[in-house]
Amino acid sequence: DTAVSQTPKYLVTQMGNDKSIKCEQNLGHDTMYWYKQDSKKFLKIMFSYNNKELIINETVPNRFSPKSPDKAHLNLHINSLELGDSAVYFCASSQVGGGGHEQYFGPGTRLTVT
Amino acid sequence: GENVEQHPSTLSVQEGDSAVIKCTYSDSASNYFPWYKQELGKRPQLIIDIRSNVGEKKDQRIAVTLNKTAKHFSLHITETQPEDSAVYFCAAKRGLITGGGNKLTFGTGTQLKVEL
């Protein structure tokens, strides 16, 4: 009965590889997000999808590509991984339609690039 | 775009004392201000939020105040307990009507340590 889930929880990979992180929410929300939390704990929005449509696309390298196959899923694919991509990536969801505000976060995926 | 500043970056209090964390925001169109608590290795979780039509909101030991004119808001925790130790984040967001795509801009976080 987990509300927002992510896989994998940990990801260790070498520079230059391509990897994906998956996110699923069972809250029936219409909007999903990807955040990056760096080693200093700064939380920064990367992308947001509303009903499978990209609505927020912050200044993120083109190596990062989100994909939303349906309202309940938002995946993040990263090409040509770099050392600076090491961080914790959080997925979140909220119900924007109807005036909802609260964003529910997933457990995070700790990505380590060596 | 929105810029949220948060102070202090670290805060150490004795158990039972009060803790206050302050944030300022830059976008006068922001109208929703949540506070998230993140325990070590865990996800951020909403603990309290306030909308711009309200000046203060309280939930047991936690309260948030908002000064729209000065564009700052604060989190107050009374009678602190060891389990309050965590990183606290403030955030700000515009309403959908004013644009922004439901984007939450977070402050830089405050590491609160409650000592016995």
Side-chain angles (χ1 to χ4, degrees), chain A residues 33 37 58 96 101 105, chain B residues 38 43 51 93 96 102:
Chain A
Y33 312 81
Q37 186 171 45
E58 291 295 282
V96 172
H101 289 285
F105 283 79
Chain B
Q38 186 178 25
R43 72 191 78 193
R51 287 163 174 71
K93 183 170 76 72
L96 282 180
N102 213 47

Side-chain angles (χ1 to χ4, degrees), chain A residues 40-51:
Chain A
K40 293 184 180 176
K41 301 287 189 184
F42 296 153
L43 258 175
K44 197 161 177 349
I45 182 95
M46 300 173 69
F47 302 103
S48 175
Y49 273 76
N50 175 264
N51 287 316

